[in-house]
Amino acid sequence: DADVTQTPRNRITKTGKRIMLECSQTKGHDRMYWYRQDPGLGLRLIYYSFDVKDINKGEISDGYSVSRQAQAKFSLSLESAIPNQTALYFCATSPNGAWETQYFGPGTRLLVL
Amino acid sequence: AQSVTQLGSHVSVSEGALVLLRCNYSSSVPPYLFWYVQYPNQGLQLLLKYTSAATLVKGINGFEAEFKKSETSFHLTKPSAHMSDAAEYFCAVSLLSNFGNEKLTFGTGTRLTIIP
């Protein structure tokens, strides 16, 4: 079984709808991250969490919110989806430390119409 | 602040030829540097990383990278390209922080195409 899972893998929604993307990990890591990938822009950090009680904004948090329900679960919500939030979303986890490897989920492809 | 610049959004090489993907970084303190690879329809996985030990770092699948502080570079190389190397490659930088806000900053990626 995969160490980092994301659900759903693909989602089509309409402008104004609320949507939640979920991430679970079995690696036992404290740190979890949400990124979005857009062609030509690389990966940009949306939110990150260094433990269950710690939530931090990344460089592009506007229009998004997160919830860290447990060490293993980190959810990303789009409160009112808009078309420019169409992207590929990745969850990642890592051990503590700036030198540590991040482990990525398979991604969620989101289309907002 | 930290940043990464990847020169060339698309690189094409012939099978068997040298692969060279360029990465330059900017940071105010000694960095940790990473190369991640993304195969089609998959998430990212670590190729190799520099964590202030040896400046020449060897990774998976025959790739290696050299940390050059004087040039602020961390270019990725492979002596002989294989068809299976076709993917998107991301350079990334992270810094140790006393404020607990350590983050990974990615470059914009280089898509590598292998010509048969």
Side-chain angles (χ1 to χ4, degrees):
Chain A
D1 288 338
D3 295 320
V4 184
T5 58
Q6 293 183 234
T7 57
R9 294 294 311 279
N10 294 279
R11 180 72 183 266
I12 300 173
T13 191
K14 295 182 179 180
T15 297
K17 294 291 188 181
R18 185 178 188 274
I19 182 171
M20 178 180 288
L21 309 183
E22 299 186 339
C23 176
S24 294
Q25 53 111 348
T26 59
K27 297 189 75 68
H29 293 161
D30 285 329
R31 297 187 177 189
M32 298 188 73
Y33 313 82
W34 275 105
Y35 295 92
R36 65 176 279 175
Q37 182 180 17
D38 299 277
L41 297 180
L43 276 77
R44 292 179 292 167
L45 185 63
I46 306 172
Y47 271 95
Y48 61 105
S49 169
F50 283 179
D51 65 41
V52 174
K53 297 181 179 179
D54 176 76
I55 301 290
N56 303 283
K57 292 183 177 181
E59 58 181 306
I60 54 164
S61 59
D62 287 349
Y64 301 94
S65 62
V66 291
S67 172
R68 185 81 184 266
Q69 302 93 323
Q71 185 201 41
K73 295 184 182 296
F74 193 35
S75 300
L76 176 72
S77 293
L78 286 66
E79 298 301 327
S80 179
I82 57 176
N84 78 357
Q85 291 178 314
T86 292
L88 186 55
Y89 290 85
F90 287 104
C91 173
T93 75
S94 77
N96 297 330
W99 57 89
E100 293 287 358
T101 300
Q102 290 192 13
Y103 297 86
F104 286 79
T108 294
R109 192 170 297 276
L110 176 65
L111 174 61
V112 182
L113 299 174
Chain B
Q2 67 214 56
S3 66
V4 167
T5 301
Q6 291 185 243
L7 297 177
S9 58
H10 291 86
V11 171
S12 296
V13 302
S14 298
E15 191 174 15
L18 172 71
V19 175
L20 171 60
L21 304 183
R22 298 179 187 274
C23 173
N24 288 88
Y25 69 90
S26 174
S27 71
S28 55
V29 297
Y32 301 108
L33 295 161
F34 305 78
W35 276 99
Y36 284 84
V37 60
Q38 183 182 26
Y39 297 106
N41 300 312
Q42 294 186 26
L44 281 72
Q45 59 183 276
L46 183 73
L47 204 54
L48 49 80
K49 63 180 177 180
Y50 167 76
T51 57
S52 74
T55 56
L56 182 61
V57 181
K58 295 186 183 298
I60 60 172
N61 301 334
F63 284 93
E64 63 182 36
E66 187 172 7
F67 172 68
K68 292 187 176 181
K69 184 178 178 180
S70 61
E71 298 177 8
T72 61
S73 69
F74 191 56
H75 302 330
L76 181 70
T77 61
K78 182 175 180 177
S80 176
H82 191 273
M83 294 300 294
S84 60
D85 294 328
E88 188 153 22
Y89 293 79
F90 294 93
C91 184
V93 61
S94 177
L95 304 178
L96 194 61
S97 169
N98 291 328
F99 302 102
N101 58 348
E102 298 156 345
K103 300 183 293 291
L104 198 58
T105 300
F106 285 88
T108 53
T110 297
R111 184 168 297 279
L112 178 63
T113 300
I114 309 299
I115 303 167

